Amino acid sequence: MTPIPYTAGLHRLAGDTFAYLQPPGTWGFSNCGLVADGDRALLVDTQFDLSRTRALIDTIAADLPGIRIGTVVTTHANGDHCWGNQLFPDAEIIGSAATADGMAHEVPPEALGALSGPGAPPGALGDYLRRSFGCFDFSGIALTPPTRTFTGRLDVRVGDRTVELVEVGPAHTDGDVVAHVPDAAVVFTGDILFVGDHPIMWTGPVDNWLKACAWIEATGARHVVPGHGPVTDPAGVREFRGYLEHVAEQAERRYAAGMPYWQAATDMPLPEACRGWGHRERLVITVAALYRQFGAGEAPIMEVLTHTAAAEASAG
C-alpha cells in the first residue's frame, strides 16, 4: 500500500473517501475526512477557526467541484474539530449527546483568544498559550452544536454508502466518536488517535481509550486517519495503544508512591518508539487525568496548564 503523503490538503484514500490533512498536526492543526457518493458528501470535523474552515471548503470545491456537503460529523467537543461548524448552515450536524453537552462547557473561543493574545497570563503559561494558539483567529465564531445527537452507534447514509458512527468515549473527551467507512476500509478517529505527538487525555478512563483502539484495529482498516498527524494503519494504532498502556502503568506506580502528577509526568521513561514524539509536556495533562481515575481529587485546569507550560519550558 502506497503511504499517504503528509502534506496539507485533500488526499484520496480509497474511491471517493478523502483525508484533509493539516501539518504539522500540533495544537489546533487537526485533520478532517470526506466521504462522497456522486454529488453528496459527509464531512468529518471542521477546523479551529473560520479562516481555516473556509480554506477547507475552498479546497474541496476546487478539487471536487459540484460536491454538496449535507452532513457534518463532529467527533468531539474540542474547538479545533468543531468551531467551523457554522459555515455549514444547510448541513445536518451529527455528534454524540455527550459532545453536544461538552461544547457548551468548553472554554469559549473569545476566552481562548484572550488567553493566547496580548492579555495572556504572565510567565511561562502565557508564553506557552501564545505559542500554541496565537496563530489562530478566534473572532466571529458562533458555537454550532450538533442538530442531531445519538448514543452508542448510528449508521449514516451518503448516497448508497454507509458511514458507521461509533461512540467510544468517554476517553480523550466525554463524547468521542469515530467514523468507520467499511466500503473504503477507512476509519476517521478524531482525537482517539494522535500520530507523531503525545496525545492528551482530558477525561478518561484510559480503559475506554484502550478499547477504542482495539475496536479500530479490529475493523482491519487499511487507512486510519488520526485527529492530528499523518495517516497510519492498524500497526500504528497498536503502537499507540502500547503507549497508553505504558503511560497508565507508569502513572499508577508513581501515584502509589505518592509522587505529584506533574513530577510523575516528567519522571517516567518512555518506550523507544515514542521518544521522538513532540509535546511531551502534554503528559502532565494526561497523568493528571489518570491520577483522578486512580482516586486523586480534580486538579484545577489552570494549575494543570501551568505545570504543563513549566514542563515544556524545562525540556526546552
Side-chain angles (χ1 to χ4, degrees):
M1 184 176 66
T2 303
I4 304 299
Y6 189 39
T7 55
L10 202 61
H11 298 264
R12 188 181 298 272
L13 304 174
D16 286 337
T17 306
F18 305 83
Y20 181 79
L21 304 180
Q22 286 293 283
T26 53
W27 286 104
F29 289 87
S30 57
N31 298 327
C32 303
L34 188 75
V35 182
D37 186 20
D39 63 352
R40 302 180 185 181
L42 173 149
L43 179 69
V44 180
D45 284 336
T46 58
Q47 291 285 296
F48 209 2
D49 62 19
L50 301 185
S51 65
R52 292 178 191 278
T53 303
R54 290 188 184 100
L56 163 69
I57 293 169
D58 290 345
T59 298
I60 293 171
D63 291 2
L64 303 169
I67 286 289
R68 182 181 67 84
I69 295 172
T71 304
V72 174
V73 174
T74 295
T75 60
H76 62 290
N78 287 169
D80 55 332
H81 295 261
C82 61
W83 281 359
N85 284 3
Q86 73 192 74
L87 297 184
F88 297 90
D90 299 324
E92 180 177 56
I93 301 174
I94 301 176
S96 67
T99 288
D101 181 68
M103 285 179 69
H105 296 92
E106 284 279 298
V107 174
E110 60 273 16
L112 185 54
L115 287 169
S116 57
L125 177 57
D127 291 342
Y128 185 69
L129 292 172
R130 276 190 292 267
R131 285 197 303 274
S132 299
F133 304 113
C135 64
F136 299 101
D137 178 4
F138 298 118
S139 63
I141 295 172
L143 291 182
T144 305
T147 56
R148 180 183 183 186
T149 61
F150 72 98
T151 58
R153 173 172 165 160
L154 177 69
D155 287 355
V156 179
R157 299 290 290 179
V158 184
D160 292 329
R161 306 179 68 188
T162 298
V163 179
E164 300 171 352
L165 305 182
V166 180
E167 184 180 21
V168 296
H172 167 67
T173 65
D174 285 341
D176 302 297
V177 167
V178 299
H180 178 217
V181 190
D183 66 6
V186 170
V187 176
F188 299 102
T189 72
D191 281 359
I192 288 298
L193 187 65
F194 289 65
V195 175
D197 280 333
H198 288 267
I200 304 164
M201 184 162 68
W202 295 113
T203 303
V206 71
D207 286 350
N208 278 3
W209 205 330
L210 293 170
K211 289 175 184 175
C213 290
W215 186 90
I216 294 166
E217 291 175 54
T219 67
R222 292 190 299 272
H223 296 295
V224 180
V225 182
H228 299 263
V231 176
T232 188
D233 56 20
V237 182
R238 282 193 296 275
E239 180 178 277
F240 184 81
R241 179 159 57 94
Y243 163 91
L244 291 176
E245 291 170 339
H246 174 88
V247 168
E249 186 270 333
Q250 292 287 325
E252 190 166 19
R253 284 190 197 178
R254 285 156 177 76
Y255 174 74
M259 186 179 291
Y261 69 85
W262 60 89
Q263 185 179 348
T266 55
D267 171 79
M268 71 172 60
L270 294 172
E272 181 66 34
C274 64
R275 288 181 187 169
W277 290 5
H279 291 294
R280 179 183 169 126
E281 76 280 358
R282 290 174 174 171
L283 273 169
V284 174
I285 302 171
T286 294
V287 175
L290 285 167
Y291 269 40
R292 184 175 66 246
Q293 179 181 324
F294 302 150
E298 179 87 29
I301 184 59
M302 292 307 290
E303 175 194 287
V304 174
L305 291 176
T306 297
H307 285 300
T308 301
E312 192 250 7
S314 64

